[in-house]
Amino acid sequence: RLGPITVTYETYGKLSDARDNAVFICHALTGDAHAAGFHDASTKRPGWWEIMIGPGKPIDTDRYFVICANVLGGCRGTTGPSSVNPETGETWGLDFPVVTIGDMVKVHKRLTEHLGIERLLAVVGGSMGGMQVLDWAVRYPQSVAGAIAIATTPRLSAQSIAFDAIGRTAILSDPNFNAGRYAEDGGPAEGLAIARMIGHITYLSEQGMHEKFGRQLRHADRYRYDFSHEFSVETYLNHQGRAFVERFDANSYLYVTKAMDYFDLTAQRGSLADALRDVSARFLLVSFKSDWLFTPAQSRQVVDGLLANQKRVTYCDIDSQYGHDAFLLEPERLGRLIRGHLEGVQHREQTGKSRLGQFVTPFTEESQTRQRHDHDCIASWIEPQTRVLDLGCGDGALLHRLRVSKQVRGLGIERDESAVLDCVDRGITVVHGELEEELAKFPDNVFDVVILSQTLQSLDAPEKVLREMLRVGRECIVSFSNGAYWQRRITLVGGRVAPLGGATSWHAGPLERGLSLKDFLERCADDGLRVDRVAALKAESGRPVRWGANLRAAEAVVRLRSQS
Amino acid sequence: RLGPITVTYETYGKLSDARDNAVFICHALTGDAHAAGFHDASTKRPGWWEIMIGPGKPIDTDRYFVICANVLGGCRGTTGPSSVNPETGETWGLDFPVVTIGDMVKVHKRLTEHLGIERLLAVVGGSMGGMQVLDWAVRYPQSVAGAIAIATTPRLSAQSIAFDAIGRTAILSDPNFNAGRYAEDGGPAEGLAIARMIGHITYLSEQGMHEKFGRQLRHADRYRYDFSHEFSVETYLNHQGRAFVERFDANSYLYVTKAMDYFDLTAQRGSLADALRDVSARFLLVSFKSDWLFTPAQSRQVVDGLLANQKRVTYCDIDSQYGHDAFLLEPERLGRLIRGHLEGVQHREQTGKSRLGQFVTPFTEESQTRQRHDHDCIASWIEPQTRVLDLGCGDGALLHRLRVSKQVRGLGIERDESAVLDCVDRGITVVHGELEEELAKFPDNVFDVVILSQTLQSLDAPEKVLREMLRVGRECIVSFSNGAYWQRRITLVGGRVAPLGGATSWHAGPLERGLSLKDFLERCADDGLRVDRVAALKAESGRPVRWGANLRAAEAVVRLRSQS
């Protein structure tokens, strides 16, 4: 038992009368409660997430009441090893109890209760902050409507533990550490600086460091042949180490890294899927491709655990070169994801319904010609309020339409990052990934309808995908351009009619390869797939073709049902 | 000027009367001259490359005279900062001049001269040893017949410099460092141990650490909630750090890491290709997929620089999970590469001819049916002593045959690692890579013939590859299974004859897709590629088909020539 505990926090924006607009920000290893804005006109240092929090910003302080608090064990106001132990009247030092991520979250839960908030609109955080987000959602499922976990992991890898351990060794072996009893201005500066330098490398990507520093020398054209810092990257790291010592306490570094090492969402309940079974928050997970500290694969473990439990989760792996630090450095793409997700959660909290984001398709000649007749057809086949999975959902146009007209509960899978961002803008729940891999992660029969529109041609193993679609869904609907359509065959090969369904190149590329409606139906028959409904659509009007479908239809839509 | 310099070295095996069998081993950062064997019966520690050097081993001491010497600036006998400065009578410490990889090589060159060796059969080394190999080959092109550079780089990345710099900071800031003047038994143990621990993480792969340690605790089932080393990975690293202090000198660590940071083969002459222009050694480059310290991409830069200069180079990227340390831990695959390369270099040195490795294909029913009629045809079209590039060369069977029967100068490109190993066994020069990417790296018109046998069907952009083949070679020969061959068409679709050249699946996979001879010739005509010779071969006999080639030929061989 530890107490009383002091908690230092900042808030931005105004708590609504219903107390339903509070967003709790969880800071990372060396962050603090000062997440946004400036303390006064004379300070030049803005809050650490100034790019994300403020009026009109993604975490919009005109809409939300934003709270950020320093963590237990930290050194920026909340009780930690540099606080005074009331029993002895001296600073705790290493007598402070070792705390966990869970302890940090429990303390912050008490803070939100103190502020009169029963249910948070969202908990948001990156890195160690993301661990707290995961812990919040698992520990207090009823108190968290939305969870946004960025560049985080359900548990540290051996490599990450190793880096932390070396940092702690550097601090513990610094003679000025003095078993944790040092004056405020005289601690283990060398050891702490080394710990910070090691950490800093892990926050950047190899490519990012290469582009920022390369082999540049700081002050000269040629080597100095001595042991001073001469490469720019050395000078930079040295500066980072020195500056860190000014603002962070070595004992806190020990406690907070240890809390990270101990965090293990898997171990708590046997498996990650078990740990996530009771969460009710709507999740957004974001990773960064070049993050090698908390890798995309680690975020994916959480996403997979949520999908296995049929929880709502949107996931995006942002293609950034900033490495782990990208969560502080990608305001645009990360901002769109956070903004879209928060708005969706708020809409759901306030109205009980999903948010329908804007989807304005301006009426232009192009949008006319690109009108999706297959979407018209698919939409007409879908029952209201069904569960729909759209494979290769693109910018979410079809799912959006189905939500508007049929109130479906939809989920999209999309491989293209910018299309994923478009989906989130529009309130579509979407997982960023390859549809073949994603399909495998769903349990059997969790959807009513699985849609594959205009995507069949780009698959390596379409038959396997169709079988998987019929495993996870009751029925599936496939749309494709009819490869036997006479007009397409003429234009494709420059005036020469290609053989029916034949290759038009050495090795017909995915987009050129025609699959005719007839071929498709024959293959279904051969493979024992039960075709239940077929529509052959005309090119201009999108109306059904009444005769000669294989040659006259520009597009085809086919519904299959599982045999059972 | 520094001198006199003491050099500590070991030799294994016997120098031949012609003094032409000497292999020089270059050690890595913390290695030493004790590369193989045991010093006496009481020592339990074998040399650091015992797996590779010895009687019958890849670097076979029954065949070769093997030399390994400690580097300048080291601490295992060769002059370095812990040696006595003759002018002062005290140890050098930080007064020792900063040395470079080039200085180390110059010293070792003097050693080989002292041993009466003018030309080394080979220089071999991994990591920093590989840097020395590169420097040897560039600095003394006439003195090195073979160069084997493993897990190395032409220059350190910013990230690697950063790791080195932190290690040095840990040493320099240890109060026991005392500006480099410390008693032999009382140096900066803490700082040196930290430097070693940081280094050690970079020698292992993330995956390798995960498999070796995971989140295992060393002595308990549950967390201890204190700051002792409790995760196995912590205990291991701590042990590595402590053990290192016993056998290595902190000053040497500073000097040797600095030499690595300074090494930059590119900067010496403007570009890597320029730096490698005058090398004459036959090169073997080996990298390891999971090596994130000196990455495969860095080895590839050297390979590309050599290819740009039309130098002999074999390259293999071994799929190992051991990370950078794999050069000490992959005796089988690395051993085959080294053994094959050394034998090839020795054969060339002794006879002036390329070695023809064993290629015994046992006469079995299977080998009968797999007889390559296209190879017979291709071989009959090749002029003696031409320069031949074989794209997708597999195990090197065709190149081997062409070397035997036509004395060609051959190079293979192959994506499959085990096929690359087979090539090296047989004395075939081969580059491990994707043929599309590799083709782009060759200058124009450097080959007489470029061969693509039975590989066309697996290409994404065959037309582009054909054009590239005609760019790098005077003519190209393509062989493929005739997709229109009547017997194949029947067996492919289970008794049903598929439409001519048509898709046999939703999306015909690369291997199923038939390309008929007729299709191929038509496409060549359409694309303005000049077909110069065509052979249509029967299935059983491999004899030419005289009539109805498109239906009756099982295989086709086509020669194209560039238009100019």
Side-chain angles (χ1 to χ4, degrees):
Chain A
R1 296 193 73 83
L2 175 70
I5 291 169
T6 303
V7 182
T8 296
Y9 68 96
E10 297 189 7
T11 70
Y12 321 91
K14 198 170 165 309
L15 185 60
S16 62
D17 293 341
R19 299 177 179 274
D20 63 356
N21 70 333
V23 174
F24 196 94
I25 310 292
C26 303
H27 71 73
L29 172 54
T30 65
D32 56 28
H34 182 38
F38 296 83
H39 281 162
D40 54 62
S42 68
T43 1
K44 285 195 178 141
R45 193 172 75 92
W48 58 267
W49 225 10
E50 174 70 9
I51 56 165
M52 214 53 82
I53 305 166
K57 292 185 183 175
I59 303 174
D60 187 348
T61 49
D62 291 339
R63 283 177 85 134
Y64 310 116
F65 176 63
V66 179
I67 313 160
C68 185
N70 189 225
V71 295
L72 183 69
C75 56
R76 310 283 293 176
T78 296
T79 299
S82 52
S83 306
V84 171
N85 177 349
E87 285 183 24
T88 64
E90 292 186 27
T91 56
W92 281 98
L94 290 186
D95 292 335
F96 193 75
V98 168
V99 295
T100 64
I101 299 290
D103 294 329
M104 296 173 183
V105 169
K106 284 183 212 164
V107 168
H108 289 164
K109 176 71 166 71
R110 296 286 288 275
L111 168 66
T112 59
E113 286 164 6
H114 166 79
L115 294 170
I117 299 160
E118 255 186 44
R119 182 169 163 90
L120 289 165
L121 184 65
V123 189
V124 186
S127 192
M128 186 184 85
M131 294 177 179
Q132 294 166 63
V133 170
L134 298 177
D135 192 272
W136 263 101
V138 168
R139 189 177 298 275
Y140 304 114
Q142 298 315 315
S143 307
V144 182
I148 302 182
I150 306 158
T152 196
T153 179
R155 54 180 186 171
L156 260 60
S157 67
Q159 192 184 65
S160 299
I161 294 173
F163 279 121
D164 279 351
I166 298 177
R168 286 196 297 270
T169 300
I171 292 169
L172 291 165
S173 65
D174 185 319
N176 293 324
F177 180 64
N178 193 28
R181 309 227 155 269
Y182 45 82
E184 208 178 318
D185 56 352
E190 300 295 342
L192 183 57
I194 287 168
R196 176 61 167 180
M197 289 189 250
I198 296 169
H200 210 92
I201 295 183
T202 68
Y203 307 150
L204 307 178
S205 73
E206 197 229 341
Q207 187 60 23
M209 284 185 99
H210 173 70
E211 289 186 5
K212 193 164 176 181
F213 305 109
R215 294 180 52 86
Q216 229 171 67
L217 301 179
R218 181 74 183 86
H219 294 296
D221 305 332
R222 33 166 58 203
Y223 298 153
R224 274 204 304 252
Y225 298 104
D226 62 25
F227 295 105
S228 59
H229 302 112
E230 58 182 330
F231 289 99
S232 294
V233 69
E234 284 183 281
T235 321
Y236 169 82
L237 277 182
N238 192 54
H239 169 76
Q240 291 292 327
R242 301 299 144 195
F244 185 63
V245 170
E246 299 301 313
R247 70 179 178 88
F248 211 83
D249 174 59
N251 278 323
S252 276
Y253 199 87
L254 299 179
Y255 280 87
V256 178
T257 57
K258 196 72 186 178
M260 289 173 71
D261 289 2
Y262 280 151
F263 183 69
D264 187 348
L265 209 54
T266 310
Q268 285 175 18
R269 305 234 189 135
S271 83
L272 204 48
D274 288 336
L276 295 166
R277 198 174 43 221
D278 300 326
V279 302
S280 72
R282 297 168 87 84
F283 268 86
L284 168 65
L285 270 288
V286 183
S287 59
F288 302 97
K289 274 203 204 313
S290 61
D291 184 351
W292 60 283
L293 184 64
F294 295 166
T295 61
Q298 290 172 325
S299 283
R300 278 306 321 223
Q301 288 171 13
V302 179
V303 175
D304 294 350
L306 290 165
L307 290 180
N309 282 297
Q310 300 174 57
K311 303 292 181 186
R312 279 270 159 190
V313 55
T314 283
Y315 169 65
C316 185
D317 183 33
I318 294 180
D319 190 1
S320 167
Q321 291 217 341
Y322 291 124
H324 186 62
D325 264 357
F327 81 94
L328 301 169
L329 298 169
E330 287 285 359
E332 273 202 56
R333 287 179 287 176
L334 181 57
R336 274 176 73 186
L337 293 168
I338 292 177
R339 184 191 298 274
H341 193 73
L342 284 179
E343 287 181 8
V345 172
Q346 191 179 42
H347 188 89
R348 157 77 53 174
E349 286 290 287
Q350 288 174 347
T351 66
K353 289 181 191 163
S354 292
R355 178 178 71 98
L356 289 167
Q358 294 207 340
F359 201 101
V360 182
T361 310
F363 187 82
T364 64
E365 204 171 334
E366 198 198 356
S367 73
Q368 267 289 67
T369 58
R370 285 168 62 197
Q371 201 182 327
R372 292 288 296 265
H373 298 312
D374 62 328
H375 285 189
D376 298 342
C377 175
I378 292 169
S380 74
W381 290 3
I382 301 264
E383 298 292 318
Q385 284 160 339
T386 44
R387 295 158 304 165
V388 174
L389 175 68
D390 187 2
L391 300 172
C393 65
D395 62 7
L398 177 59
L399 279 175
H400 187 268
R401 174 177 182 162
L402 295 176
R403 288 225 342 235
V404 174
S405 61
K406 299 294 174 90
Q407 297 81 48
V408 304
R409 177 181 158 135
L411 172 64
I413 306 288
E414 175 54 43
R415 61 187 296 183
D416 179 64
E417 179 190 310
S418 86
V420 168
L421 292 170
D422 288 341
C423 285
V424 175
D425 286 346
R426 286 154 187 167
I428 303 295
T429 305
V430 60
V431 170
H432 188 189
E434 300 292 335
L435 65 92
E436 292 94 333
E437 288 163 37
E438 300 308 323
L439 261 178
K441 288 166 184 168
F442 292 104
D444 294 354
N445 281 312
V446 288
F447 297 99
D448 295 306
V449 187
V450 182
I451 299 170
L452 183 76
S453 73
Q454 295 291 2
T455 305
L456 192 71
Q457 288 94 329
S458 67
L459 299 179
D460 276 336
E463 195 173 324
K464 197 174 150 223
V465 169
L466 287 175
R467 293 206 179 280
E468 274 292 279
M469 288 168 70
L470 288 170
R471 178 184 67 76
V472 306
R474 206 163 35 79
E475 59 185 39
C476 74
I477 301 178
V478 180
S479 78
F480 53 91
S481 298
N482 177 19
Y485 177 47
W486 63 275
Q487 205 163 15
R488 181 171 296 115
R489 286 194 295 150
I490 286 174
T491 51
L492 255 183
V493 291
R496 219 173 49 164
V497 178
L500 196 69
T504 58
S505 170
W506 303 107
H507 155 139
L511 290 173
E512 293 175 83
R513 187 176 311 119
L515 175 72
S516 74
L517 174 55
K518 187 160 158 271
D519 286 346
F520 184 86
L521 296 176
E522 277 179 14
R523 294 300 302 170
C524 286
D526 285 0
D527 293 331
L529 297 170
R530 207 177 87 192
V531 172
D532 168 68
R533 196 165 175 183
V534 178
L537 308 176
K538 287 184 192 166
E540 299 299 320
S541 63
R543 296 225 181 83
V545 176
R546 299 287 171 205
W547 53 268
N550 196 52
L551 282 174
R552 294 182 64 238
E555 288 179 281
V557 185
V558 177
R559 188 166 73 193
L560 305 171
R561 279 184 194 271
S562 49
Q563 298 290 8
S564 55
Chain B
R1 295 193 74 83
L2 174 70
I5 291 169
T6 303
V7 182
T8 296
Y9 67 97
E10 297 189 7
T11 70
Y12 321 91
K14 197 168 165 308
L15 185 60
S16 62
D17 295 338
R19 299 176 179 275
D20 63 356
N21 69 333
V23 174
F24 196 94
I25 309 291
C26 303
H27 71 72
L29 172 55
T30 65
D32 56 28
H34 183 38
F38 296 82
H39 281 160
D40 54 62
S42 67
T43 359
K44 285 194 179 145
R45 193 172 74 93
W48 58 266
W49 224 10
E50 175 70 10
I51 56 165
M52 214 53 83
I53 305 166
K57 293 185 183 174
I59 303 174
D60 187 349
T61 49
D62 291 338
R63 284 177 84 133
Y64 310 118
F65 176 63
V66 180
I67 313 161
C68 186
N70 189 226
V71 295
L72 183 69
C75 56
R76 309 282 294 178
T78 296
T79 299
S82 51
S83 306
V84 171
N85 177 350
E87 285 183 23
T88 64
E90 293 185 26
T91 56
W92 282 98
L94 290 185
D95 292 336
F96 194 75
V98 169
V99 295
T100 64
I101 298 290
D103 294 329
M104 296 173 182
V105 170
K106 283 183 212 165
V107 168
H108 289 164
K109 177 72 166 71
R110 295 286 288 275
L111 168 65
T112 58
E113 286 165 7
H114 166 79
L115 295 170
I117 298 159
E118 254 185 46
R119 183 169 163 90
L120 290 165
L121 183 65
V123 188
V124 186
S127 192
M128 186 184 84
M131 294 177 178
Q132 295 166 63
V133 171
L134 299 177
D135 192 90
W136 263 102
V138 168
R139 190 176 298 275
Y140 304 114
Q142 298 315 313
S143 307
V144 182
I148 301 181
I150 306 157
T152 196
T153 178
R155 54 180 187 172
L156 260 62
S157 67
Q159 192 184 64
S160 299
I161 293 174
F163 280 121
D164 279 351
I166 298 176
R168 286 195 297 270
T169 300
I171 292 168
L172 291 165
S173 67
D174 185 319
N176 292 324
F177 180 64
N178 192 29
R181 309 225 155 271
Y182 46 82
E184 210 178 316
D185 55 351
E190 299 294 344
L192 183 57
I194 287 168
R196 176 59 167 181
M197 289 189 249
I198 296 170
H200 210 91
I201 296 182
T202 68
Y203 306 151
L204 306 178
S205 72
E206 197 228 341
Q207 187 61 23
M209 285 185 99
H210 173 71
E211 291 186 3
K212 193 165 176 179
F213 306 107
R215 295 180 53 86
Q216 227 171 68
L217 302 179
R218 181 73 183 87
H219 294 296
D221 304 333
R222 34 167 56 204
Y223 299 153
R224 274 205 304 252
Y225 298 104
D226 62 26
F227 294 105
S228 59
H229 301 113
E230 58 181 328
F231 288 100
S232 294
V233 68
E234 284 183 283
T235 321
Y236 170 81
L237 277 182
N238 192 54
H239 170 76
Q240 290 293 328
R242 302 299 145 195
F244 186 63
V245 170
E246 300 300 313
R247 69 179 180 90
F248 212 83
D249 174 60
N251 279 323
S252 276
Y253 199 88
L254 298 179
Y255 279 88
V256 178
T257 56
K258 196 74 186 177
M260 289 174 71
D261 289 2
Y262 281 151
F263 183 68
D264 186 348
L265 209 54
T266 311
Q268 285 174 20
R269 306 234 189 135
S271 83
L272 204 47
D274 287 337
L276 296 165
R277 199 175 42 220
D278 300 326
V279 303
S280 71
R282 298 167 88 83
F283 268 87
L284 168 65
L285 270 285
V286 184
S287 59
F288 302 97
K289 274 204 205 310
S290 60
D291 184 352
W292 60 283
L293 184 64
F294 294 166
T295 61
Q298 289 172 326
S299 282
R300 279 305 323 222
Q301 288 170 14
V302 179
V303 174
D304 295 349
L306 290 165
L307 291 179
N309 282 297
Q310 301 174 55
K311 304 291 181 186
R312 280 271 158 189
V313 56
T314 282
Y315 169 65
C316 185
D317 183 33
I318 294 180
D319 190 2
S320 166
Q321 290 216 341
Y322 291 125
H324 186 61
D325 264 357
F327 81 94
L328 301 169
L329 298 170
E330 288 284 359
E332 272 203 57
R333 287 179 287 176
L334 182 56
R336 274 175 74 185
L337 293 169
I338 293 177
R339 184 191 298 273
H341 193 73
L342 283 180
E343 287 181 7
V345 172
Q346 191 178 42
H347 188 89
R348 157 77 55 174
E349 285 290 288
Q350 288 174 347
T351 66
K353 289 181 191 161
S354 291
R355 177 178 71 98
L356 289 167
Q358 294 206 341
F359 201 101
V360 182
T361 309
F363 187 84
T364 65
E365 204 172 335
E366 197 198 356
S367 74
Q368 267 288 68
T369 58
R370 284 168 65 198
Q371 199 182 329
R372 291 289 296 265
H373 299 312
D374 63 328
H375 285 187
D376 298 342
C377 175
I378 292 169
S380 73
W381 290 3
I382 301 264
E383 298 293 316
Q385 284 158 341
T386 45
R387 295 159 303 165
V388 174
L389 176 66
D390 187 2
L391 300 172
C393 65
D395 62 8
L398 177 59
L399 279 175
H400 187 268
R401 173 177 183 162
L402 295 176
R403 287 222 346 233
V404 174
S405 60
K406 300 294 176 90
Q407 299 80 48
V408 303
R409 177 181 158 135
L411 173 63
I413 306 288
E414 175 53 43
R415 62 186 296 182
D416 179 64
E417 179 190 310
S418 85
V420 169
L421 293 170
D422 287 342
C423 285
V424 175
D425 285 348
R426 286 155 187 167
I428 303 295
T429 306
V430 61
V431 170
H432 187 190
E434 299 292 335
L435 65 90
E436 291 94 332
E437 288 164 37
E438 300 308 322
L439 261 179
K441 287 166 184 166
F442 292 104
D444 294 354
N445 281 312
V446 287
F447 297 99
D448 296 305
V449 188
V450 183
I451 299 169
L452 184 75
S453 73
Q454 296 290 3
T455 306
L456 192 71
Q457 287 94 328
S458 66
L459 299 178
D460 276 336
E463 195 172 326
K464 197 174 151 223
V465 169
L466 288 175
R467 293 205 179 281
E468 274 292 279
M469 289 168 70
L470 288 170
R471 178 184 67 76
V472 306
R474 208 163 35 79
E475 60 184 40
C476 74
I477 301 177
V478 179
S479 77
F480 52 92
S481 298
N482 177 21
Y485 177 48
W486 64 275
Q487 205 164 14
R488 181 172 296 113
R489 285 195 294 153
I490 285 174
T491 51
L492 256 183
V493 291
R496 218 175 49 164
V497 177
L500 194 68
T504 58
S505 170
W506 304 107
H507 155 140
L511 290 173
E512 293 174 82
R513 188 178 309 120
L515 175 72
S516 74
L517 174 56
K518 187 159 156 271
D519 285 347
F520 183 87
L521 295 176
E522 278 180 12
R523 293 301 300 171
C524 285
D526 285 0
D527 294 331
L529 297 170
R530 208 177 87 191
V531 172
D532 169 67
R533 197 166 173 180
V534 177
L537 308 176
K538 287 185 192 165
E540 298 300 320
S541 63
R543 296 225 182 84
V545 176
R546 299 289 172 204
W547 52 269
N550 197 53
L551 281 174
R552 295 183 62 238
E555 287 178 281
V557 185
V558 178
R559 188 167 73 195
L560 305 170
R561 278 182 195 271
S562 49
Q563 299 289 8
S564 55

